[in-house]
Amino acid sequence: MTKPAVIPHPQDNEVAERIMANALPLFADHGYSGVSMRAIAAAAGLTIGTLYHYFSNKEALYLGVLQASYASCAEQWQTIFDAPTPPLERLRDYLLQYCKFAAENKEFVGLVKREQLEGNPQRMELMANVLLGEQFEKTWQLLEEINPDIDARMAANSLIGMVVHHFEIAALRQRFPQHRDEYDDPARVSEHIYQILVHGLLGKPAE
Amino acid sequence: MTKPAVIPHPQDNEVAERIMANALPLFADHGYSGVSMRAIAAAAGLTIGTLYHYFSNKEALYLGVLQASYASCAEQWQTIFDAPTPPLERLRDYLLQYCKFAAENKEFVGLVKREQLEGNPQRMELMANVLLGEQFEKTWQLLEEINPDIDARMAANSLIGMVVHHFEIAALRQRFPQHRDEYDDPARVSEHIYQILVHGLLGKPAE
DNA sequence: GTCTATAAACCGATAGAC
DNA sequence: GTCTATCGGTTTATAGAC
């Protein structure tokens, strides 16, 4: 019985899950090559040899972290997009939930952004098919429902870019003068993005 | 005569510049710890020993890459912001130049994003003071000039987020169905962002 | 299943020939 | 100024005791 080459053990092993859960913030902060197997083992309270009992190598462990993170938030978007409310209300709800998620899961957002920068073809395929593709499609379909005359795919990119950027630069923003804590508040940020998307900068400031 | 601790040799040495120019895409793609001094030497057509003649260590070389990239584009924004044209026209010009720069300097944009994710205090300070702080300030001042009733700093974050995201996910976007090449065109993207910022999604589609 | 010990390769950095 | 050779340390990964 040989270990699988890429995918970690499929059964829900609580030790493997603990390893991946503790490795997630390490990979998000320092990148794939910036984290050693020793550091991962220490974060999980184990030694290095034990890691290789659950994962065939470092790459498989990393892919396991990616897939586990994807699965944990995949169904979260579904209920929001499928709600039977008017499209503008769905947009507002989606933005709030998306901002909340980005604020609470900075590690995951950072991991995804890192993967986009790296551009590894195999892992890009995983992201495009498993998670991001679905969110992107639901997003532009909602925007097209709001206004069929715009390029909804471009608008979806703009929406996603605004949300993730606000929370990606949180650490940097605090070094700028005149910083206010409310710039990190998901409710405040999502309402701001909603106003820009719907009315632009010249529209009425509050509805 | 000892070598400086952090800053590389100040004189404009063409060999040092070649080393940094070839190292930039490597750092942008794989991060600081993902690139070895051997790889940097090979990219410049040298051997590892020669690198230490021009840079005291790997950290100094990396900081040199950051600073050289900063300097190369720092003055590019000045002329745009200081133009004596109406604010909306300046916004349109700024967006076009910013998108062009992001499209032509994907490595630099990736490097900056990577630094934001990493959160190293020393390098964050460098970014906040030397380059990004100035661009951020000019951006929100322009937006405040357009509409004094909005939160211009938040709007500046949204603007920057839209621009960089469009070009950061270029590699990923091509894996999505119904991709069009014009989504990578700076003129097309900047005009799209201009329309969203000024009119929103419900406004008139073309001016 | 978890550990210790270790192999083989790679890392950043230095010394010294030319 | 560029090279080769090498040091000491760390890396991923394996072998084997318990």
Side-chain angles (χ1 to χ4, degrees):
Chain A
M1 177 79 82
T2 60
K3 270 182 283 189
V6 171
I7 306 297
H9 293 167
Q11 73 273 20
D12 41 354
N13 189 312
E14 62 176 13
V15 178
E17 285 178 5
R18 195 182 77 217
I19 293 173
M20 292 188 290
N22 289 98
L24 169 60
L26 296 180
F27 281 128
D29 282 345
H30 308 107
Y32 177 78
S33 51
V35 180
S36 66
M37 293 294 271
R38 279 176 174 77
I40 295 172
L46 299 169
T47 58
I48 188 173
T50 309
L51 296 185
Y52 287 91
H53 180 76
Y54 294 97
F55 302 93
S56 57
N57 52 34
K58 185 182 178 182
E59 174 91 8
L61 197 160
Y62 182 69
L63 285 178
V65 170
L66 278 183
Q67 287 181 320
S69 302
Y70 289 171
S72 76
C73 74
E75 70 270 19
Q76 192 167 347
W77 311 121
Q78 292 288 7
T79 54
I80 303 171
F81 283 118
D82 296 344
T85 50
L88 278 181
E89 194 172 325
R90 255 178 292 154
L91 175 62
R92 189 174 240 150
D93 291 344
Y94 170 48
L95 283 172
L96 177 59
Q97 294 303 320
Y98 191 12
C99 286
K100 276 186 181 174
F101 176 82
E104 292 169 3
N105 298 274
K106 283 206 178 69
E107 299 93 0
F108 174 73
V109 176
L111 210 60
V112 170
K113 181 61 79 175
R114 236 173 234 284
E115 282 301 325
Q116 291 172 5
L117 294 173
E118 207 112 343
N120 177 292
Q122 183 185 356
R123 300 203 287 259
M124 295 284 269
E125 206 67 40
L126 177 70
M127 287 205 304
N129 295 332
V130 175
L131 177 72
L132 302 181
E134 195 167 0
Q135 185 204 356
F136 180 72
E137 197 169 350
K138 296 269 190 178
T139 301
W140 73 255
Q141 283 170 352
L142 172 59
L143 294 176
E144 190 166 66
E145 193 176 347
I146 290 174
N147 186 349
D149 293 330
I150 60 166
D151 189 325
R153 285 183 186 78
M154 264 199 161
N157 281 328
S158 294
L159 183 154
I160 295 173
M162 282 192 277
V163 172
V164 299
H165 187 74
H166 269 280
F167 297 98
E168 279 170 358
I169 65 159
L172 186 66
R173 203 181 326 130
Q174 292 171 352
R175 297 175 183 276
F176 288 161
Q178 293 179 289
H179 166 73
R180 294 189 225 155
D181 282 342
E182 60 193 66
Y183 293 156
D184 296 326
D185 177 25
R188 185 82 178 70
V189 173
S190 68
E191 185 60 24
H192 161 81
I193 295 176
Y194 178 81
Q195 291 296 333
I196 282 191
L197 280 176
V198 176
H199 300 118
L201 297 179
L202 302 180
K204 37 190 170 180
E207 185 168 324
Chain B
M1 177 77 84
T2 60
K3 270 182 283 188
V6 170
I7 305 297
H9 292 167
Q11 73 273 18
D12 41 353
N13 189 313
E14 62 176 14
V15 179
E17 285 177 6
R18 195 182 77 217
I19 293 173
M20 293 189 288
N22 289 98
L24 170 60
L26 295 180
F27 281 127
D29 282 346
H30 307 107
Y32 178 78
S33 53
V35 180
S36 66
M37 292 295 272
R38 285 168 174 81
I40 295 172
L46 299 170
T47 57
I48 187 172
T50 310
L51 296 186
Y52 288 90
H53 180 77
Y54 294 96
F55 301 93
S56 57
N57 52 33
K58 185 182 177 183
E59 174 89 9
L61 197 160
Y62 182 69
L63 285 179
V65 170
L66 279 182
Q67 288 181 320
S69 302
Y70 288 172
S72 76
C73 75
E75 69 269 20
Q76 191 167 346
W77 311 121
Q78 292 288 6
T79 54
I80 303 171
F81 284 119
D82 297 343
T85 50
L88 278 180
E89 194 172 324
R90 256 178 291 154
L91 175 63
R92 187 173 243 150
D93 290 345
Y94 170 48
L95 282 172
L96 177 59
Q97 294 303 320
Y98 191 12
C99 285
K100 275 187 181 173
F101 175 82
E104 292 169 2
N105 299 274
K106 282 206 178 69
E107 300 93 359
F108 174 73
V109 176
L111 211 60
V112 170
K113 182 62 81 175
R114 215 173 259 279
E115 282 301 327
Q116 291 172 5
L117 293 174
E118 208 112 343
N120 178 291
Q122 182 186 356
R123 300 202 286 259
M124 294 284 268
E125 206 67 39
L126 177 70
M127 287 206 303
N129 295 332
V130 176
L131 178 72
L132 301 180
E134 196 167 359
Q135 185 204 356
F136 180 72
E137 197 169 350
K138 297 268 190 181
T139 301
W140 73 254
Q141 283 170 353
L142 173 58
L143 294 176
E144 191 167 65
E145 193 176 347
I146 291 174
N147 186 350
D149 294 329
I150 60 166
D151 189 326
R153 286 183 186 79
M154 262 198 163
N157 281 329
S158 294
L159 183 155
I160 296 172
M162 281 191 279
V163 172
V164 299
H165 186 75
H166 269 280
F167 297 98
E168 279 170 358
I169 65 159
L172 187 65
R173 201 179 329 129
Q174 293 171 351
R175 298 175 183 276
F176 287 161
Q178 293 179 290
H179 167 73
R180 293 189 227 154
D181 281 343
E182 61 194 66
Y183 293 156
D184 296 327
D185 177 24
R188 184 81 177 71
V189 172
S190 68
E191 185 60 26
H192 160 81
I193 296 177
Y194 178 81
Q195 291 297 332
I196 281 191
L197 279 177
V198 177
H199 300 118
L201 297 179
L202 303 180
K204 38 191 172 180
E207 185 167 327

